[in-house]
Amino acid sequence: MDLREFLLARIAEDEARARTAAEDGTTCTGGWPPQRLLVECETRRELLRLDLDQAVCEDADRGCGHSGTDIEQGRCERQSADDRPLLRALALPWSTHPQHRDAWLP
């Protein structure tokens, strides 16, 4: 599991919790309304998309020309999700998660 996959899994977990809270008419952890957490999940997904777009541009500047799919699937040895500063920052809230790696800390 790379950092991008780790983040997508955590976002999906948060989204599922928020949807359950919305259906139950309760609040999420921290007293947040479910809609706020759902918006946060979509925001994090958008940041992941923007970071991938940036990785594609950086790859093109180096002359590799890999697609976003190639980069996501690890086909470019110059691009690793584990080395992306934005992704490392996004992972901080889950730094105590059992699947989080210390190497992902900023």
Side-chain angles (χ1 to χ4, degrees), residues 84-92 95 100-106:
R84 306 290 300 168
L86 176 63
L87 302 190
R88 288 177 176 216
L90 284 172
L92 281 173
S95 63
H100 187 278
R101 299 180 192 156
D102 288 342
W104 294 339
L105 292 170

Side-chain angles (χ1 to χ4, degrees), residues 17-54:
R17 278 193 287 275
R19 291 195 188 288
T20 298
E23 290 170 6
D24 295 344
T26 60
T27 59
C28 297
T29 303
W32 293 354
Q35 188 57 33
R36 184 190 182 287
L37 186 54
L38 290 171
V39 169
E40 186 171 325
C41 290
E42 186 52 39
T43 300
R44 288 179 176 170
R45 280 195 185 95
E46 180 62 19
L47 288 169
L48 288 170
R49 283 189 288 272
L50 291 170
D51 181 74
L52 184 58
D53 289 347
Q54 180 64 34

Side-chain angles (χ1 to χ4, degrees), residues 2-3 5-6 13 15 17-18 27 33 46 48 58 70-72 76-77 82-83 94 104 106:
D2 71 11
L3 183 51
E5 293 166 331
F6 173 82
E13 289 171 355
E15 186 174 49
R17 278 193 287 275
T27 59
E46 180 62 19
L48 288 170
E58 291 169 6
D70 288 341
I71 291 170
E72 277 185 311
C76 178
E77 55 194 51
D82 294 353
D83 297 330
W94 295 289
W104 294 339

Side-chain angles (χ1 to χ4, degrees), residues 6-18:
F6 173 82
L7 286 166
L8 288 170
R10 303 298 73 78
I11 293 166
E13 289 171 355
D14 281 355
E15 186 174 49
R17 278 193 287 275

